[in-house]
Amino acid sequence: MNKYNSLNINKKYKILFVCLGNICRSPAAHAVMQRLVDEAGLTNQFEIDSAGIGGWHVGQLPDERMRRHGRKRGYRIDHRARQFSARRDFPYYDAIYVMDEENYRIVTSRAESEEEKSKVCRLSDYLTEHRAATVPDPYYGGPEDFEYALDLIEDACGGLLRQFTGV
């Protein structure tokens, strides 16, 4: 789980969400978490971003299906895809939340120290209402897969924010 159990008002928490291509799950988590911190009045205490392990979609908007399903829930999922950079992202971010076991394996394999490796967490570890080991990739699925991914992301981001705030 997270090493944070209450916010330090003198610190800005920098968190990164990572999935395979940065066009479905991680930009959705970015948008969901941003809205949650904004609604909680904590915008100035968080810097939120997302990235993909691969560079296939760098510069592109998220998958239209994820954007459409997100819009139905009131999210603006419009982050431009970027690739995860171990050299830049490990030193910069306080925590890195991955969507599945393959993401976890790849990102932790790029860590150069135990401290960097300890920053990597599975987003599914913060689920409170659903039971799932991962946030599955909806890319090759249908509308129900995008809805399920958003259900899990909303649940986990809510649990994650509760970890930070201690509420």
Side-chain angles (χ1 to χ4, degrees):
M1 294 297 260
N2 197 318
K3 58 188 168 197
Y4 308 106
N5 56 11
S6 63
L7 284 174
N8 175 343
I9 61 171
N10 297 315
K11 178 171 176 48
K12 184 167 200 160
Y13 295 92
K14 295 176 283 200
I15 61 176
L16 179 66
F17 294 102
V18 176
C19 69
L20 187 60
N22 196 210
I23 60 167
C24 291
R25 297 168 293 172
S26 58
H30 179 172
V32 168
M33 191 67 177
Q34 188 67 61
R35 186 166 91 184
L36 289 173
V37 300
D38 291 348
E39 289 175 350
L42 300 170
T43 306
N44 293 330
Q45 288 199 254
F46 286 90
E47 181 179 332
I48 303 165
D49 197 6
S50 64
I53 291 168
W56 316 282
H57 303 289
V58 169
Q60 295 177 11
L61 285 170
D63 185 287
E64 174 54 38
R65 296 166 296 171
M66 183 55 84
R67 291 173 32 210
R68 184 173 351 106
H69 287 277
R71 264 192 311 275
K72 290 192 303 188
R73 297 180 187 216
Y75 299 110
R76 185 175 168 190
I77 305 173
D78 60 358
H79 169 82
R80 294 278 176 173
R82 75 171 184 86
Q83 188 170 8
F84 175 77
S85 166
R87 178 170 286 168
R88 181 185 65 224
D89 293 333
F90 275 122
Y92 188 77
Y93 289 97
D94 297 306
I96 299 168
Y97 299 96
V98 298
M99 302 296 144
D100 60 37
E101 287 303 313
E102 183 71 1
N103 301 159
Y104 183 84
R105 185 188 64 72
I106 292 169
V107 173
T108 56
S109 74
R110 295 181 183 171
E112 292 186 4
S113 68
E114 284 303 312
E115 178 186 356
E116 287 183 349
K117 189 174 179 180
S118 73
K119 291 182 176 188
V120 184
C121 306
R122 294 165 187 86
L123 185 60
S124 60
D125 288 346
Y126 298 90
L127 291 169
T128 61
E129 298 175 21
H130 295 84
R131 293 187 137 209
T134 67
V135 177
D137 192 347
Y139 187 78
Y140 293 105
E144 65 282 355
D145 298 298
F146 285 87
E147 290 295 323
Y148 181 60
L150 281 167
D151 288 343
L152 295 177
I153 290 166
E154 286 176 332
D155 181 8
C157 285
L160 178 58
L161 185 60
R162 284 188 290 280
Q163 285 288 314
F164 275 100
T165 60
V167 177

